[in-house]
């Protein structure tokens, strides 16, 4: 896996004082890359800087041979960006609007444009609804249309910021599968606060919080590395504060009226705990709690 996008010591503080990015280093190869973090972590700031829509205070970004912060025109020619909310034009029909965007993108030849528009509508599974108005599209269809627009001009880098909010589970899965397919030929960065979005589909991931990268890993390997470290105990809610004082509780869930606590512990933590099969949520919460981190970053 060769590094296609290299981010070095990227920092950004907003005029109000919010330190959105604090020396972010990231190496992003081809494939679907999940950038996972809670609200306010700095994801959108990073996405906007990569998309040349915002300036950092310091640091550098390279996309292959391109210096992203200084050669913005070159980046824009090879970039697709799907913002959090893709504004749609409710009265426009999908095919006509995509054709219109293709003209704006510089696809002047009518035949070439028709072929491109058809290929993109088929790829995003919108061919059958191409004559429908966008106002009648579901959330997932709108997002897929956004991807079709972002893919005009064959971008080498596709940036997708929090795309699955508001999608139902079937639409979400379909959308993530589409991104994963696109990742076969380019860098696709998916920013999200939803752990399940960064499932097996992402070949690599990073966890960001308070402007810092806490973990950079392959999702499946990060989960495997937690084997034997996550333990489960079912308790009454009232017992939780006591358990939190004595153990590293990383997450809790309600199950049939009782509380199931997940605890990070390298060996068996004692009576009443069962070993839990770790999943990506355990990776996320262990990382956010500081038990797993940078030192475990896996080499490319
Ligand atoms: P995320 O996308 O992970 O939710 P953001 O990049 O939007 O995170 O925000 C990171 C931090 O920067 C937050 O503290 C947020 O309040 C702040 N921030 C974001 N945009 C602005 C802005 N335009 N002006 C001032 N502060 C901002």
């Amino acid at each position: 896996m060769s590094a296609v996008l290299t981010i070095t010591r990227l920092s950004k503080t907003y005029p109000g004082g919010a330190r959105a990015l604090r020396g972010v280093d990231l190496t992003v190869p081809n494939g679907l890359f999940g950038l996972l973090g809670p609200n306010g972590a700095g994801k959108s700031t990073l996405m906007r800087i990569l998309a040349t829509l915002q300036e950092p205070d310091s640091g550098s970004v390279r996309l292959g041979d391109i210096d992203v912060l200084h050669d913005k025109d070159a980046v824009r020619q090879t970039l697709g960006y799907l913002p959090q909310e893709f504004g749609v034009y409710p009265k426009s029909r999908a095919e006509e609007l995509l054709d219109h965007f293709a003209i704006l993108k510089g696809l002047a030849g009518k035949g070439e444009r028709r072929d491109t528009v058809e290929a993109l509508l088929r790829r995003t599974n919108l061919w059958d609804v191409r004559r429908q108005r966008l106002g009648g599209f579901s959330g997932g269809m709108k997002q897929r249309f956004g991807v079709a627009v972002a893919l005009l001009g064959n971008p080498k880098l596709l940036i997708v910021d929090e795309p699955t909010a508001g999608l139902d589970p079937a639409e979400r899965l379909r959308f993530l599968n589409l991104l994963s397919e696109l990742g076969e030929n380019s860098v696709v960065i998916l920013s999200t606060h939803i752990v399940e979005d960064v499932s097996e589909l992402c070949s690599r991931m990073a966890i960001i919080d308070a402007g810092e990268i806490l973990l950079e890993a392959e999702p499946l390997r990060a989960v495997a590395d937690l084997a034997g470290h996550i333990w489960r105990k079912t308790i009454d809610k009232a017992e939780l504060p006591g358990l939190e004082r004595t153990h590293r509780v990383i997450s809790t869930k309600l199950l049939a009226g009782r509380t199931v606590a997940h605890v990070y512990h390298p060996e068996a933590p004692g009576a009443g705990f069962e070993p839990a099969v770790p999943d990506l949520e355990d990776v996320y919460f262990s990382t956010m709690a500081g038990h797993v981190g940078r030192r475990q970053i896996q080499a490319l």
Side-chain angles (χ1 to χ4, degrees), residues 12-21 35-48 54 84 161-162 191-193 208-211:
K12 169 78 188 175
T13 301
Y14 284 103
R19 292 182 68 193
L21 299 175
L35 181 70
L36 179 63
N39 286 333
K43 303 182 297 296
S44 291
T45 303
L46 180 56
M47 298 298 99
R48 287 196 300 262
Q54 205 169 16
Q84 261 177 32
D161 197 1
E162 300 263 358
S191 110
T192 182
H193 65 275
I208 184 170
D209 188 32

Side-chain angles (χ1 to χ4, degrees), residues 49-207:
I49 292 172
L50 298 181
T52 74
L53 300 171
Q54 205 169 16
E55 290 288 337
D57 300 328
S58 57
S60 69
V61 182
R62 292 200 74 85
L63 174 64
D65 301 337
I66 305 171
D67 179 338
V68 172
L69 303 179
H70 295 107
D71 202 353
K72 294 195 171 60
D73 285 342
V75 182
R76 287 173 191 152
Q77 276 169 23
T78 186
L79 170 88
Y81 175 59
L82 181 63
Q84 261 177 32
E85 286 188 20
F86 177 75
V88 290
Y89 305 74
K91 296 216 171 103
S92 306
R93 298 172 201 279
E95 188 175 32
E96 285 164 15
L97 189 59
L98 192 58
D99 185 68
H100 173 71
F101 282 130
I103 294 170
L104 294 182
K105 193 85 192 181
L107 275 163
K110 226 175 166 184
E112 185 198 355
R113 206 166 66 236
R114 195 179 46 231
D115 292 347
T116 302
V117 165
E118 175 171 345
L120 286 176
L121 288 172
R122 287 193 187 280
R123 195 154 175 204
T124 49
N125 228 328
L126 293 171
W127 180 247
D128 293 344
V129 293
R130 66 190 177 279
R131 304 232 159 83
Q132 290 181 21
R133 295 183 198 277
L134 268 73
F137 274 17
S138 70
M141 289 157 83
K142 283 178 191 157
Q143 288 295 45
R144 279 184 275 131
F145 184 76
V147 170
V149 175
L151 286 179
L152 282 167
N154 275 329
K156 263 199 291 187
L157 172 63
L158 182 64
I159 294 173
V160 192
D161 197 1
E162 300 263 358
T164 62
L167 301 192
D168 69 37
E171 275 180 337
R172 224 186 95 237
L173 198 62
R174 182 179 231 181
F175 185 76
L176 293 173
N177 274 315
L178 171 65
L179 292 186
S180 153
E181 272 170 43
L182 300 174
E184 287 164 17
N185 303 313
S186 48
V187 179
V188 181
I189 303 183
L190 162 71
S191 110
T192 182
H193 65 275
I194 302 170
V195 176
E196 298 91 71
D197 281 355
V198 185
S199 58
E200 311 83 68
L201 291 178
C202 289
S203 49
R204 283 191 75 83
M205 70 178 291
I207 294 176

